Amino acid sequence: KQEVTQIPAALSVPEGENLVLNCSFTDSAIYNLQWFRQDPGKGLTSLLLIQSSQREQTSGRLNASLDKSSGRSTLYIAASQPGDSATYLCAVPGAGSYQLTFGKGTKLSVIP
Amino acid sequence: GAVVSQHPSRVICKSGTSVKIECRSLDFQATTMFWYRQFPKQSLMLMATSNEGSKATYEQGVEKDKFLINHASLTLSTLTVTSAHPEDSSFYICSALGREQFFGPGTRLTVL
C-alpha cells in the first residue's frame, strides 16, 4: 500500500526566503506526482504535476523535482511571500488507477 | 484549469438527519469522480470512486449504506450522508477526472 510522507509538518520563514518542502513515497511505481496548495477551509489548487518521465517542472517561483528511484520529490519556492502561506500537499496515483494517495501536508507560514 | 463546484459549501445538521452534497464538473464531462474526506490536521482520504451509470466503488472501512453515492450524469455526482452523527463531521471534497483530477472547493459538514 502506497504511503506518502511530508516533512516538515510545519514551517515558518521570513518573507523573501527560499524554501524546500519534501515529499517521500514508498512505492516508486508511479506515473506522476502532483503538488497542491490548500488554503484554510478551502479545496485544493493544483500547482505542479510531474510525469514519471520528467525530473522537474517549473511554474513561476515554484519548482518541483521528482526522483522516482529514491521515492522522493521536493517543492522549491523562491523568494517566498506572505501570500504563499498555506498547506502544501503532495499526492501520487495508485498503480493502474487514478486514485490519489495524499501526504498530510506541510503548513507554511511566511512572516512579513 | 477545469472548474468543479460543490454545493453546499457549509452545512450544519442535527444528529440523525441526512445530508446531500453535490459535485458538478462545470466545463467538461467526467465519467469518474472521487469523494474524499479530510479530518482536522489530517490529509485527504479517499472514500469512494464514483462512475457514471454504475455503482460506486468504496474504500475499505467506508460504509456504502451510510455514504450513498449517485453519479447519474456526466457532470453531477452526489454524496448523501445518511443518519449523520457527530463523528461524520468533516470536510468533504470531490474531484472530477479529466486529463487530471480537478478538485471542488469542499463542503464543511458539522453534525450537532
Side-chain angles (χ1 to χ4, degrees), chain B residues 3-47:
Chain B
V3 179
V4 176
S5 70
Q6 277 185 244
H7 178 80
S9 59
R10 186 180 298 267
V11 58
I12 301 173
C13 69
K14 291 183 179 179
S15 184
T17 60
S18 294
V19 175
K20 179 185 285 188
I21 303 170
E22 294 185 349
C23 177
R24 293 181 185 273
S25 57
L26 299 183
D27 52 2
F28 71 101
Q29 293 182 328
T31 305
T32 301
M33 292 185 176
F34 300 95
W35 286 96
Y36 295 84
R37 181 167 52 182
Q38 185 178 34
F39 291 107
K41 298 186 178 181
Q42 298 295 315
S43 191
L44 280 76
M45 297 297 293
L46 180 67
M47 298 176 66

Side-chain angles (χ1 to χ4, degrees), chain A residues 2-4 23 25 27 30 32-34 90-94 99-102:
Chain A
Q2 179 74 270
E3 292 183 6
V4 180
C23 172
F25 44 94
D27 185 349
I30 61 170
N32 64 45
L33 181 144
Q34 203 162 357
C90 73
V92 294
Q99 299 168 349
L100 293 177
T101 299
F102 284 84

Side-chain angles (χ1 to χ4, degrees), chain B residues 17-91:
Chain B
T17 60
S18 294
V19 175
K20 179 185 285 188
I21 303 170
E22 294 185 349
C23 177
R24 293 181 185 273
S25 57
L26 299 183
D27 52 2
F28 71 101
Q29 293 182 328
T31 305
T32 301
M33 292 185 176
F34 300 95
W35 286 96
Y36 295 84
R37 181 167 52 182
Q38 185 178 34
F39 291 107
K41 298 186 178 181
Q42 298 295 315
S43 191
L44 280 76
M45 297 297 293
L46 180 67
M47 298 176 66
T49 302
S50 169
N51 296 297
E52 188 267 338
S54 64
K55 291 183 178 180
T57 304
Y58 291 81
E59 294 301 298
Q60 191 173 7
V62 179
E63 300 174 56
K64 63 179 182 179
D65 294 329
K66 181 171 182 62
F67 298 99
L68 302 179
I69 292 173
N70 184 286
H71 193 157
S73 79
L74 288 172
T75 59
L76 173 64
S77 175
T78 61
L79 169 68
T80 301
V81 183
T82 62
S83 187
H85 288 96
E87 57 265 30
D88 299 322
S89 298
S90 187
F91 193 56

Side-chain angles (χ1 to χ4, degrees), chain A:
Chain A
K1 180 184 175 184
Q2 179 74 270
E3 292 183 6
V4 180
T5 303
Q6 290 187 246
I7 295 173
L11 180 63
S12 183
V13 300
E15 181 177 2
E17 271 202 8
N18 304 325
L19 59 102
V20 175
L21 308 180
N22 298 290
C23 172
S24 62
F25 44 94
T26 54
D27 185 349
S28 61
I30 61 170
Y31 57 88
N32 64 45
L33 181 144
Q34 203 162 357
W35 282 93
F36 295 89
R37 168 185 173 137
Q38 185 177 30
D39 292 287
K42 304 293 184 181
L44 304 182
T45 301
S46 179
L47 298 174
L48 290 164
L49 187 152
I50 313 178
Q51 299 295 344
S52 61
S53 58
Q54 299 174 313
R55 292 194 66 83
E56 62 179 60
Q57 273 277 23
T58 298
S59 175
R61 294 182 294 108
L62 305 180
N63 177 278
S65 69
L66 174 62
D67 184 342
K68 257 187 66 171
S69 60
S70 68
R72 295 183 182 183
S73 176
T74 62
L75 179 66
Y76 174 83
I77 302 177
S80 58
Q81 303 172 357
D84 295 331
S85 298
T87 295
Y88 291 81
L89 300 166
C90 73
V92 294
S97 78
Y98 295 101
Q99 299 168 349
L100 293 177
T101 299
F102 284 84
K104 289 187 177 181
T106 294
K107 184 175 181 180
L108 173 65
S109 299
V110 181
I111 312 301

